[in-house]
Short mmCIF file of all heavy atoms in Angstrom, two decimals:
data_model
loop_
_atom_site.label_atom_id
_atom_site.label_comp_id
_atom_site.label_asym_id
_atom_site.label_seq_id
_atom_site.Cartn_x
_atom_site.Cartn_y
_atom_site.Cartn_z
N MET A 1 -10.67 1.20 -6.30
CA MET A 1 -11.18 1.64 -5.05
C MET A 1 -11.61 3.18 -5.23
O MET A 1 -10.92 3.82 -6.05
CB MET A 1 -10.21 1.58 -3.98
CG MET A 1 -9.65 0.29 -3.59
SD MET A 1 -8.44 0.27 -2.26
CE MET A 1 -9.51 0.38 -0.83
N SER A 2 -12.68 3.48 -4.67
CA SER A 2 -13.11 4.91 -4.80
C SER A 2 -12.26 5.80 -3.83
O SER A 2 -11.57 5.35 -2.95
CB SER A 2 -14.59 5.08 -4.34
OG SER A 2 -14.79 4.90 -3.03
N GLN A 3 -12.42 7.09 -4.07
CA GLN A 3 -11.74 8.11 -3.25
C GLN A 3 -12.21 7.94 -1.83
O GLN A 3 -11.39 8.05 -0.91
CB GLN A 3 -11.88 9.53 -3.81
CG GLN A 3 -11.10 10.55 -2.95
CD GLN A 3 -11.17 11.88 -3.67
OE1 GLN A 3 -11.46 12.06 -4.84
NE2 GLN A 3 -10.78 13.02 -2.94
N ASP A 4 -13.46 7.84 -1.59
CA ASP A 4 -13.98 7.76 -0.29
C ASP A 4 -13.41 6.50 0.46
O ASP A 4 -13.08 6.55 1.60
CB ASP A 4 -15.59 7.71 -0.19
CG ASP A 4 -16.09 9.11 -0.62
OD1 ASP A 4 -15.47 10.17 -0.44
OD2 ASP A 4 -17.29 9.03 -1.10
N GLU A 5 -13.38 5.36 -0.18
CA GLU A 5 -12.87 4.15 0.35
C GLU A 5 -11.33 4.32 0.65
O GLU A 5 -10.93 3.94 1.79
CB GLU A 5 -12.96 3.00 -0.61
CG GLU A 5 -14.37 2.53 -0.89
CD GLU A 5 -14.50 1.37 -1.95
OE1 GLU A 5 -13.81 1.57 -2.97
OE2 GLU A 5 -15.24 0.53 -1.77
N LEU A 6 -10.64 5.00 -0.12
CA LEU A 6 -9.22 5.20 0.08
C LEU A 6 -9.01 6.16 1.33
O LEU A 6 -8.20 5.91 2.19
CB LEU A 6 -8.57 5.91 -1.17
CG LEU A 6 -8.36 4.89 -2.30
CD1 LEU A 6 -7.95 5.75 -3.47
CD2 LEU A 6 -7.32 3.93 -2.05
N LEU A 7 -9.84 7.20 1.43
CA LEU A 7 -9.65 8.08 2.50
C LEU A 7 -10.10 7.53 3.84
O LEU A 7 -9.71 7.99 4.89
CB LEU A 7 -10.39 9.36 2.23
CG LEU A 7 -9.82 10.22 1.09
CD1 LEU A 7 -10.72 11.41 0.74
CD2 LEU A 7 -8.35 10.77 1.52
N ALA A 8 -10.85 6.41 3.77
CA ALA A 8 -11.36 5.79 5.10
C ALA A 8 -10.42 4.72 5.49
O ALA A 8 -10.76 4.03 6.51
CB ALA A 8 -12.85 5.20 4.80
N LEU A 9 -9.39 4.38 4.80
CA LEU A 9 -8.48 3.36 5.12
C LEU A 9 -7.78 3.57 6.52
O LEU A 9 -7.61 4.75 6.83
CB LEU A 9 -7.36 3.13 4.07
CG LEU A 9 -7.89 2.59 2.77
CD1 LEU A 9 -6.71 2.61 1.74
CD2 LEU A 9 -8.33 1.17 2.91
N PRO A 10 -7.39 2.50 7.29
CA PRO A 10 -6.77 2.82 8.49
C PRO A 10 -5.32 3.25 8.25
O PRO A 10 -4.87 3.35 7.11
CB PRO A 10 -6.75 1.38 9.18
CG PRO A 10 -6.91 0.47 7.99
CD PRO A 10 -7.70 1.12 6.97
N THR A 11 -4.53 3.34 9.29
CA THR A 11 -3.28 3.93 9.24
C THR A 11 -2.23 3.07 8.35
O THR A 11 -1.41 3.66 7.74
CB THR A 11 -2.58 4.06 10.66
OG1 THR A 11 -3.44 4.79 11.53
CG2 THR A 11 -1.25 4.69 10.76
N THR A 12 -2.35 1.86 8.45
CA THR A 12 -1.61 0.93 7.50
C THR A 12 -2.58 -0.07 6.80
O THR A 12 -3.67 -0.39 7.44
CB THR A 12 -0.48 0.17 8.28
OG1 THR A 12 -1.06 -0.74 9.25
CG2 THR A 12 0.51 1.07 8.90
N VAL A 13 -2.22 -0.57 5.73
CA VAL A 13 -3.03 -1.48 5.01
C VAL A 13 -2.17 -2.65 4.51
O VAL A 13 -0.87 -2.51 4.54
CB VAL A 13 -3.73 -0.87 3.84
CG1 VAL A 13 -4.78 0.21 4.24
CG2 VAL A 13 -2.81 -0.25 2.82
N SER A 14 -2.80 -3.74 4.15
CA SER A 14 -2.01 -4.83 3.58
C SER A 14 -1.38 -4.46 2.23
O SER A 14 -1.98 -3.50 1.56
CB SER A 14 -2.92 -6.12 3.41
OG SER A 14 -3.79 -5.86 2.43
N VAL A 15 -0.45 -5.22 1.84
CA VAL A 15 0.20 -5.03 0.49
C VAL A 15 -0.86 -5.23 -0.55
O VAL A 15 -0.88 -4.56 -1.56
CB VAL A 15 1.38 -5.86 0.31
CG1 VAL A 15 1.90 -5.89 -1.06
CG2 VAL A 15 2.47 -5.51 1.30
N GLU A 16 -1.73 -6.22 -0.29
CA GLU A 16 -2.75 -6.50 -1.25
C GLU A 16 -3.74 -5.41 -1.45
O GLU A 16 -4.11 -5.03 -2.53
CB GLU A 16 -3.54 -7.76 -0.83
CG GLU A 16 -2.69 -9.05 -0.92
CD GLU A 16 -3.30 -10.29 -0.27
OE1 GLU A 16 -4.55 -10.15 0.15
OE2 GLU A 16 -2.64 -11.28 -0.11
N THR A 17 -4.07 -4.75 -0.39
CA THR A 17 -4.98 -3.60 -0.44
C THR A 17 -4.34 -2.39 -1.15
O THR A 17 -4.93 -1.77 -2.04
CB THR A 17 -5.50 -3.14 0.91
OG1 THR A 17 -6.24 -4.15 1.51
CG2 THR A 17 -6.33 -1.93 0.83
N ALA A 18 -3.08 -2.12 -0.82
CA ALA A 18 -2.32 -1.05 -1.52
C ALA A 18 -2.20 -1.39 -3.05
O ALA A 18 -2.30 -0.52 -3.86
CB ALA A 18 -0.99 -0.93 -0.87
N ALA A 19 -1.89 -2.63 -3.39
CA ALA A 19 -1.75 -3.06 -4.74
C ALA A 19 -2.92 -2.78 -5.56
O ALA A 19 -2.92 -2.27 -6.70
CB ALA A 19 -1.27 -4.50 -4.80
N ARG A 20 -4.16 -3.16 -5.04
CA ARG A 20 -5.45 -2.95 -5.59
C ARG A 20 -5.67 -1.48 -5.88
O ARG A 20 -6.05 -1.07 -6.95
CB ARG A 20 -6.53 -3.59 -4.75
CG ARG A 20 -7.94 -3.63 -5.52
CD ARG A 20 -8.87 -4.40 -4.71
NE ARG A 20 -9.33 -3.67 -3.54
CZ ARG A 20 -9.32 -4.13 -2.33
NH1 ARG A 20 -8.83 -5.35 -2.13
NH2 ARG A 20 -9.68 -3.37 -1.29
N ALA A 21 -5.22 -0.71 -4.95
CA ALA A 21 -5.46 0.82 -5.05
C ALA A 21 -4.73 1.41 -6.25
O ALA A 21 -4.99 2.30 -6.90
CB ALA A 21 -5.04 1.58 -3.76
N ILE A 22 -3.39 0.85 -6.42
CA ILE A 22 -2.61 1.44 -7.50
C ILE A 22 -2.55 0.61 -8.78
O ILE A 22 -1.77 0.94 -9.74
CB ILE A 22 -1.23 1.72 -6.92
CG1 ILE A 22 -0.50 0.47 -6.48
CG2 ILE A 22 -1.19 2.70 -5.96
CD1 ILE A 22 0.96 0.57 -5.89
N GLY A 23 -3.40 -0.46 -8.79
CA GLY A 23 -3.43 -1.37 -10.01
C GLY A 23 -2.33 -2.28 -10.18
O GLY A 23 -2.08 -2.65 -11.40
N LEU A 24 -1.68 -2.82 -9.09
CA LEU A 24 -0.71 -3.91 -9.20
C LEU A 24 -1.29 -5.18 -8.93
O LEU A 24 -2.22 -5.24 -8.08
CB LEU A 24 0.43 -3.61 -8.28
CG LEU A 24 1.49 -2.53 -8.66
CD1 LEU A 24 2.49 -2.48 -7.43
CD2 LEU A 24 2.25 -2.90 -9.87
N GLY A 25 -0.73 -6.25 -9.48
CA GLY A 25 -1.17 -7.61 -9.14
C GLY A 25 -0.49 -7.98 -7.78
O GLY A 25 0.48 -7.41 -7.37
N ARG A 26 -1.17 -8.95 -7.09
CA ARG A 26 -0.70 -9.36 -5.75
C ARG A 26 0.79 -9.87 -5.81
O ARG A 26 1.62 -9.51 -4.90
CB ARG A 26 -1.61 -10.42 -5.32
CG ARG A 26 -1.34 -11.01 -3.91
CD ARG A 26 -2.24 -12.16 -3.50
NE ARG A 26 -1.87 -12.80 -2.35
CZ ARG A 26 -1.02 -13.65 -2.11
NH1 ARG A 26 -0.42 -14.16 -3.09
NH2 ARG A 26 -0.74 -14.24 -0.93
N THR A 27 0.97 -10.76 -6.69
CA THR A 27 2.39 -11.29 -6.78
C THR A 27 3.43 -10.20 -7.01
O THR A 27 4.41 -10.23 -6.33
CB THR A 27 2.41 -12.34 -7.89
OG1 THR A 27 1.46 -13.40 -7.60
CG2 THR A 27 3.76 -13.02 -8.03
N ARG A 28 3.22 -9.39 -7.94
CA ARG A 28 4.23 -8.26 -8.25
C ARG A 28 4.30 -7.40 -6.99
O ARG A 28 5.35 -6.87 -6.77
CB ARG A 28 3.72 -7.49 -9.46
CG ARG A 28 4.72 -6.41 -9.89
CD ARG A 28 6.04 -7.02 -10.39
NE ARG A 28 6.73 -5.94 -10.88
CZ ARG A 28 8.09 -5.86 -10.78
NH1 ARG A 28 8.73 -6.89 -10.21
NH2 ARG A 28 8.82 -4.89 -11.13
N ALA A 29 3.25 -7.11 -6.40
CA ALA A 29 3.24 -6.17 -5.23
C ALA A 29 4.10 -6.77 -4.07
O ALA A 29 4.98 -6.04 -3.51
CB ALA A 29 1.83 -5.94 -4.70
N TYR A 30 3.96 -8.02 -3.85
CA TYR A 30 4.81 -8.66 -2.82
C TYR A 30 6.28 -8.74 -3.26
O TYR A 30 7.14 -8.55 -2.42
CB TYR A 30 4.27 -10.06 -2.41
CG TYR A 30 3.16 -9.92 -1.33
CD1 TYR A 30 1.82 -10.18 -1.69
CD2 TYR A 30 3.50 -9.65 -0.03
CE1 TYR A 30 0.81 -10.16 -0.65
CE2 TYR A 30 2.49 -9.56 0.89
CZ TYR A 30 1.16 -9.80 0.56
OH TYR A 30 0.20 -9.69 1.51
N GLN A 31 6.41 -8.95 -4.53
CA GLN A 31 7.81 -9.00 -5.01
C GLN A 31 8.54 -7.68 -4.87
O GLN A 31 9.73 -7.65 -4.35
CB GLN A 31 7.80 -9.32 -6.47
CG GLN A 31 9.06 -9.56 -7.16
CD GLN A 31 8.91 -9.84 -8.58
OE1 GLN A 31 8.15 -9.17 -9.43
NE2 GLN A 31 9.63 -10.93 -9.11
N LEU A 32 7.87 -6.57 -5.18
CA LEU A 32 8.39 -5.24 -5.00
C LEU A 32 8.62 -4.99 -3.49
O LEU A 32 9.64 -4.26 -3.07
CB LEU A 32 7.50 -4.18 -5.50
CG LEU A 32 7.41 -4.17 -7.20
CD1 LEU A 32 6.23 -3.22 -7.59
CD2 LEU A 32 8.68 -3.81 -7.72
N ALA A 33 7.67 -5.36 -2.65
CA ALA A 33 7.85 -5.09 -1.19
C ALA A 33 9.10 -5.86 -0.64
O ALA A 33 9.82 -5.33 0.11
CB ALA A 33 6.59 -5.51 -0.48
N ARG A 34 9.26 -7.09 -1.05
CA ARG A 34 10.41 -7.89 -0.62
C ARG A 34 11.76 -7.24 -1.07
O ARG A 34 12.77 -7.28 -0.38
CB ARG A 34 10.35 -9.25 -1.13
CG ARG A 34 9.40 -10.14 -0.23
CD ARG A 34 9.59 -11.60 -0.70
NE ARG A 34 9.35 -11.89 -2.02
CZ ARG A 34 8.19 -12.09 -2.55
NH1 ARG A 34 7.07 -12.09 -1.89
NH2 ARG A 34 8.06 -12.38 -3.90
N GLN A 35 11.72 -6.66 -2.23
CA GLN A 35 12.99 -6.07 -2.85
C GLN A 35 13.12 -4.59 -2.39
O GLN A 35 14.15 -3.95 -2.71
CB GLN A 35 12.82 -6.04 -4.29
CG GLN A 35 12.79 -7.42 -4.96
CD GLN A 35 12.48 -7.36 -6.47
OE1 GLN A 35 12.09 -6.41 -6.97
NE2 GLN A 35 12.69 -8.56 -7.03
N GLY A 36 12.22 -4.07 -1.55
CA GLY A 36 12.31 -2.70 -1.04
C GLY A 36 12.08 -1.62 -2.19
O GLY A 36 12.49 -0.56 -2.11
N GLN A 37 11.25 -2.05 -3.19
CA GLN A 37 11.02 -1.21 -4.24
C GLN A 37 9.53 -0.93 -4.56
O GLN A 37 9.09 -0.45 -5.50
CB GLN A 37 11.47 -1.91 -5.65
CG GLN A 37 12.98 -2.08 -5.57
CD GLN A 37 13.54 -2.70 -6.93
OE1 GLN A 37 12.69 -3.29 -7.62
NE2 GLN A 37 14.76 -2.63 -7.18
N PHE A 38 8.66 -1.11 -3.53
CA PHE A 38 7.31 -0.83 -3.57
C PHE A 38 7.23 0.71 -3.60
O PHE A 38 8.04 1.37 -2.96
CB PHE A 38 6.58 -1.34 -2.31
CG PHE A 38 5.08 -1.42 -2.53
CD1 PHE A 38 4.47 -2.48 -3.18
CD2 PHE A 38 4.22 -0.46 -2.00
CE1 PHE A 38 3.06 -2.51 -3.38
CE2 PHE A 38 2.82 -0.52 -2.20
CZ PHE A 38 2.28 -1.60 -2.89
N PRO A 39 6.27 1.32 -4.41
CA PRO A 39 6.33 2.76 -4.59
C PRO A 39 5.93 3.64 -3.38
O PRO A 39 5.95 4.83 -3.55
CB PRO A 39 5.27 2.91 -5.76
CG PRO A 39 4.45 1.72 -5.75
CD PRO A 39 5.30 0.62 -5.22
N CYS A 40 5.65 3.07 -2.33
CA CYS A 40 5.38 3.83 -1.06
C CYS A 40 5.93 3.06 0.14
O CYS A 40 6.38 1.83 0.03
CB CYS A 40 3.92 4.18 -0.86
SG CYS A 40 2.74 2.93 -1.18
N LYS A 41 5.98 3.61 1.31
CA LYS A 41 6.64 3.06 2.47
C LYS A 41 5.99 1.71 2.94
O LYS A 41 4.72 1.71 3.11
CB LYS A 41 6.64 4.00 3.60
CG LYS A 41 7.41 3.55 4.86
CD LYS A 41 7.58 4.54 5.89
CE LYS A 41 8.34 3.92 6.94
NZ LYS A 41 9.02 4.82 7.75
N VAL A 42 6.79 0.68 3.13
CA VAL A 42 6.30 -0.62 3.57
C VAL A 42 7.02 -0.90 4.92
O VAL A 42 8.18 -0.70 4.93
CB VAL A 42 6.57 -1.77 2.52
CG1 VAL A 42 6.17 -3.04 3.07
CG2 VAL A 42 5.93 -1.37 1.25
N ILE A 43 6.26 -1.37 5.83
CA ILE A 43 6.81 -1.71 7.12
C ILE A 43 6.72 -3.23 7.17
O ILE A 43 5.61 -3.86 7.01
CB ILE A 43 6.00 -1.11 8.28
CG1 ILE A 43 6.10 0.38 8.27
CG2 ILE A 43 6.51 -1.61 9.71
CD1 ILE A 43 5.14 1.13 9.15
N ARG A 44 7.75 -3.85 7.62
CA ARG A 44 7.75 -5.33 7.81
C ARG A 44 7.61 -5.61 9.27
O ARG A 44 8.30 -5.18 10.14
CB ARG A 44 9.01 -6.01 7.27
CG ARG A 44 8.97 -7.47 7.40
CD ARG A 44 9.90 -8.19 6.46
NE ARG A 44 9.75 -9.60 6.61
CZ ARG A 44 10.55 -10.54 6.24
NH1 ARG A 44 11.66 -10.13 5.72
NH2 ARG A 44 10.24 -11.78 6.32
N ILE A 45 6.50 -6.48 9.62
CA ILE A 45 6.25 -6.83 10.94
C ILE A 45 6.29 -8.37 10.99
O ILE A 45 5.30 -8.98 10.49
CB ILE A 45 4.86 -6.29 11.48
CG1 ILE A 45 4.86 -4.77 11.26
CG2 ILE A 45 4.64 -6.77 12.90
CD1 ILE A 45 3.53 -4.13 11.63
N GLY A 46 7.38 -8.97 11.53
CA GLY A 46 7.43 -10.39 11.46
C GLY A 46 7.55 -10.84 9.98
O GLY A 46 8.31 -10.34 9.18
N ALA A 47 6.53 -11.69 9.58
CA ALA A 47 6.54 -12.18 8.22
C ALA A 47 5.52 -11.40 7.28
O ALA A 47 5.44 -11.72 6.21
CB ALA A 47 6.15 -13.73 8.19
N SER A 48 4.85 -10.47 7.98
CA SER A 48 3.96 -9.74 7.12
C SER A 48 4.47 -8.34 6.81
O SER A 48 5.33 -7.78 7.42
CB SER A 48 2.56 -9.49 7.91
OG SER A 48 2.76 -8.76 9.07
N TYR A 49 3.81 -7.69 5.74
CA TYR A 49 4.11 -6.41 5.27
C TYR A 49 2.94 -5.56 5.32
O TYR A 49 1.79 -5.97 5.08
CB TYR A 49 4.54 -6.47 3.74
CG TYR A 49 5.84 -7.21 3.48
CD1 TYR A 49 5.79 -8.59 3.30
CD2 TYR A 49 7.05 -6.64 3.51
CE1 TYR A 49 7.00 -9.27 2.94
CE2 TYR A 49 8.22 -7.31 3.17
CZ TYR A 49 8.21 -8.65 3.01
OH TYR A 49 9.38 -9.37 2.77
N ARG A 50 3.12 -4.31 5.76
CA ARG A 50 2.02 -3.33 5.94
C ARG A 50 2.57 -2.04 5.22
O ARG A 50 3.66 -1.65 5.27
CB ARG A 50 1.73 -2.92 7.42
CG ARG A 50 1.34 -4.15 8.18
CD ARG A 50 0.04 -4.70 7.84
NE ARG A 50 -1.10 -3.77 8.13
CZ ARG A 50 -2.35 -4.04 7.83
NH1 ARG A 50 -2.59 -5.19 7.28
NH2 ARG A 50 -3.30 -3.16 8.09
N VAL A 51 1.55 -1.40 4.46
CA VAL A 51 1.82 -0.25 3.71
C VAL A 51 1.24 0.98 4.53
O VAL A 51 0.11 0.93 5.00
CB VAL A 51 1.30 -0.35 2.30
CG1 VAL A 51 1.43 0.93 1.51
CG2 VAL A 51 1.90 -1.46 1.43
N VAL A 52 2.09 1.99 4.64
CA VAL A 52 1.62 3.16 5.29
C VAL A 52 0.64 3.96 4.44
O VAL A 52 0.98 4.39 3.24
CB VAL A 52 2.91 4.08 5.64
CG1 VAL A 52 2.47 5.41 6.30
CG2 VAL A 52 3.83 3.38 6.54
N THR A 53 -0.51 4.12 4.90
CA THR A 53 -1.69 4.66 4.17
C THR A 53 -1.38 6.10 3.69
O THR A 53 -1.71 6.46 2.54
CB THR A 53 -2.95 4.55 4.95
OG1 THR A 53 -3.25 3.25 5.19
CG2 THR A 53 -4.18 5.17 4.15
N ALA A 54 -0.74 6.87 4.61
CA ALA A 54 -0.48 8.32 4.22
C ALA A 54 0.35 8.40 2.92
O ALA A 54 0.18 9.18 2.02
CB ALA A 54 0.20 9.00 5.34
N ASP A 55 1.37 7.47 2.87
CA ASP A 55 2.28 7.47 1.67
C ASP A 55 1.47 7.04 0.51
O ASP A 55 1.69 7.49 -0.73
CB ASP A 55 3.46 6.50 1.92
CG ASP A 55 4.52 7.09 2.83
OD1 ASP A 55 4.42 8.24 3.13
OD2 ASP A 55 5.41 6.33 3.19
N LEU A 56 0.60 6.04 0.61
CA LEU A 56 -0.26 5.55 -0.39
C LEU A 56 -1.16 6.65 -1.04
O LEU A 56 -1.20 6.82 -2.17
CB LEU A 56 -0.98 4.28 0.03
CG LEU A 56 -2.11 3.74 -0.94
CD1 LEU A 56 -1.37 3.18 -2.24
CD2 LEU A 56 -2.93 2.68 -0.29
N LEU A 57 -1.72 7.33 -0.10
CA LEU A 57 -2.58 8.52 -0.51
C LEU A 57 -1.80 9.55 -1.21
O LEU A 57 -2.36 10.08 -2.26
CB LEU A 57 -3.36 9.11 0.67
CG LEU A 57 -4.37 8.09 1.35
CD1 LEU A 57 -4.92 8.75 2.64
CD2 LEU A 57 -5.46 7.69 0.46
N ARG A 58 -0.68 9.89 -0.75
CA ARG A 58 0.24 10.85 -1.53
C ARG A 58 0.61 10.36 -2.82
O ARG A 58 0.53 11.16 -3.84
CB ARG A 58 1.50 11.05 -0.62
CG ARG A 58 1.29 12.29 0.34
CD ARG A 58 2.67 12.68 0.92
NE ARG A 58 3.18 11.82 1.84
CZ ARG A 58 2.75 11.58 3.21
NH1 ARG A 58 1.82 12.39 3.64
NH2 ARG A 58 3.39 10.77 3.95
N LEU A 59 0.89 9.08 -2.94
CA LEU A 59 1.24 8.50 -4.25
C LEU A 59 0.07 8.63 -5.17
O LEU A 59 0.19 8.88 -6.38
CB LEU A 59 1.58 7.04 -4.22
CG LEU A 59 1.79 6.25 -5.38
CD1 LEU A 59 3.17 6.68 -6.08
CD2 LEU A 59 1.93 4.77 -5.10
N LEU A 60 -1.23 8.54 -4.72
CA LEU A 60 -2.39 8.67 -5.58
C LEU A 60 -2.82 10.18 -5.73
O LEU A 60 -3.83 10.37 -6.39
CB LEU A 60 -3.41 7.88 -4.93
CG LEU A 60 -3.15 6.27 -4.90
CD1 LEU A 60 -4.15 5.65 -4.11
CD2 LEU A 60 -3.10 5.73 -6.38
N GLY A 61 -2.06 11.03 -5.10
CA GLY A 61 -2.47 12.49 -5.26
C GLY A 61 -3.67 12.86 -4.32
O GLY A 61 -4.35 13.88 -4.62
N LEU A 62 -3.80 12.08 -3.30
CA LEU A 62 -4.82 12.45 -2.28
C LEU A 62 -4.23 12.90 -1.06
O LEU A 62 -3.19 12.42 -0.64
CB LEU A 62 -5.78 11.23 -1.98
CG LEU A 62 -6.55 10.66 -3.20
CD1 LEU A 62 -7.11 9.38 -2.85
CD2 LEU A 62 -7.56 11.62 -3.76
N GLU A 63 -4.91 13.77 -0.21
CA GLU A 63 -4.43 14.32 0.97
C GLU A 63 -4.99 13.56 2.08
O GLU A 63 -6.30 13.51 2.22
CB GLU A 63 -4.56 15.71 1.13
CG GLU A 63 -3.72 16.58 0.23
CD GLU A 63 -2.21 16.43 0.63
OE1 GLU A 63 -1.81 16.32 1.87
OE2 GLU A 63 -1.38 16.29 -0.34
N PRO A 64 -4.21 12.86 3.02
CA PRO A 64 -4.91 12.23 4.14
C PRO A 64 -5.58 13.20 5.04
O PRO A 64 -5.12 14.40 5.19
CB PRO A 64 -3.68 11.56 4.79
CG PRO A 64 -2.44 12.18 4.31
CD PRO A 64 -2.86 12.79 3.05
N ASN A 65 -6.63 12.74 5.75
CA ASN A 65 -7.36 13.57 6.65
C ASN A 65 -6.57 13.82 7.89
O ASN A 65 -5.87 13.04 8.39
CB ASN A 65 -8.74 12.99 7.06
CG ASN A 65 -9.65 13.05 5.84
OD1 ASN A 65 -9.52 13.90 4.95
ND2 ASN A 65 -10.66 12.21 5.87
#
């Protein structure tokens, strides 16, 4: 993903989107999210997981707008 694409993301993104941004595979990303070891904040809503975009951007060395 480009820097512009990353900075345009909404407040939270899917685990798949976050995984793509940091170069993780889908299966490994969900595994880490379930174990509470994903490298940025993950929120569980029912059966789905959402990644906080501000944490993702900080992990990538970008400042959220």
Side-chain angles (χ1 to χ4, degrees):
M1 298 180 82
S2 72
Q3 182 174 342
D4 289 338
E5 289 174 319
L6 289 166
L7 292 172
L9 291 172
T11 306
T12 64
V13 295
S14 68
V15 169
E16 293 171 6
T17 299
R20 190 173 68 235
I22 59 177
L24 281 176
R26 179 184 179 275
T27 302
R28 182 69 176 142
Y30 276 105
Q31 184 181 50
L32 292 171
R34 281 192 302 275
Q35 295 171 349
Q37 297 180 342
F38 199 80
C40 42
K41 185 172 181 158
V42 175
I43 300 169
R44 185 163 183 194
I45 303 170
S48 67
Y49 294 90
R50 301 294 293 176
V51 175
V52 177
T53 301
D55 284 351
L56 175 62
L57 294 175
R58 274 192 284 282
L59 176 70
L60 295 171
L62 301 172
E63 286 300 316
N65 291 338

